[in-house]
Amino acid sequence: MTAEPLPAWAFPPPGGFTADDLDRMPELPPHTELIDGSLVFVSPQKYFHSLAVDLLISALRRVAPKSLRVCREMTVALDRHNRPEPDIAILRAEAVTTEAHETGFQAADAVLVVEVVSPESESRDRKRKPQLYAEAGIPHFWLVEHGEGRRPVVQVFELNTVTRTYVPTGIYHERIKVPVPFTIDIDLTEIDHL
């Protein structure tokens, strides 16, 4: 029995893949990200991950102003070699066209990105992705961890525009109530009812 040949995308070009390459490789597995010029494939989600994203998406869509859109699992082009897929992105409404053919968005259109930490992507979610988001100038970042039971713990960060790094502004266990990027008040214990 002969092995199937590897697809062309299994072999990176000299200098690594670019953000534009993701749209030219239709055979890629779903939710493929580009980090530092390398393709990153996502493992199946844990149930907590799915619940946390559902809770936050639903709550954020209820309170987001009309000038913003809440998107789930869409890539954000940060630079030529980085196009990660945050679990949640809040984007300027004008970036989302009425045709809805987008496969991703630009960092300049993102107001807030949210990563829910998964065991297989802990280092990327906690270290590399926040660094890349900050360097790209995304003003707000949330990191969601698995807390007690199945409750989420949300760590909130705001961009220091001088250093292009995130500054922690709070850690929220049962309720997240923040004034930026818009007034947000989410009862995190609602996850118990999903």
Side-chain angles (χ1 to χ4, degrees):
M1 185 159 139
T2 41
E4 291 288 320
L6 291 173
W9 53 259
F11 304 96
F17 291 105
T18 67
D20 291 336
D21 288 335
L22 286 185
D23 293 328
R24 292 192 286 263
M25 297 184 286
E27 302 160 1
L28 285 175
H31 308 292
T32 300
E33 298 180 284
L34 182 68
I35 306 290
D36 298 323
S38 297
L39 299 176
V40 176
F41 306 107
V42 179
S43 299
Q45 279 186 8
K46 303 281 190 238
Y47 189 53
F48 166 77
H49 188 281
S50 177
L51 288 175
V53 171
D54 286 347
L55 170 72
L56 294 172
I57 285 279
S58 175
L60 289 167
R61 284 186 174 152
R62 280 195 304 272
V63 298
K66 293 184 187 297
S67 61
L68 299 172
R69 297 291 180 271
V70 180
C71 295
R72 177 186 191 128
E73 300 168 342
M74 294 293 294
T75 61
V76 177
L78 305 178
D79 59 35
R80 180 172 159 75
H81 291 288
N82 291 288
R83 191 169 153 189
E85 183 181 282
D87 294 306
I88 302 168
I90 297 185
L91 307 163
R92 291 179 178 78
E94 60 268 13
V96 182
T97 65
T98 55
E99 289 85 35
H101 293 286
E102 295 90 349
T103 58
F105 298 94
Q106 297 300 310
D109 295 318
V111 174
L112 165 69
V113 290
V114 179
E115 290 289 352
V116 178
V117 175
S118 296
E120 70 283 348
S121 63
E122 280 181 59
S123 182
R124 282 192 310 276
D125 292 342
R126 290 183 181 145
K127 295 177 185 172
R128 188 63 180 138
K129 284 181 165 184
Q131 178 186 24
L132 292 169
Y133 294 144
E135 288 171 355
I138 297 174
H140 302 278
F141 172 69
W142 292 2
L143 185 69
V144 181
E145 303 266 2
H146 194 156
E148 293 291 321
R150 62 183 199 178
R151 299 246 175 107
V153 175
V154 181
Q155 298 177 60
V156 175
F157 300 85
E158 191 167 335
L159 183 67
N160 176 323
T161 56
V162 175
T163 62
R164 289 281 184 149
T165 58
Y166 286 122
V167 176
T169 60
I171 300 175
Y172 301 87
H173 295 267
E174 293 189 0
R175 172 171 239 103
I176 179 170
K177 192 170 185 177
V178 295
V180 291
F182 50 89
T183 302
I184 299 171
D185 185 355
I186 302 172
D187 180 357
L188 299 173
T189 67
E190 285 297 313
I191 200 166
D192 295 337
H193 307 294
L194 296 179

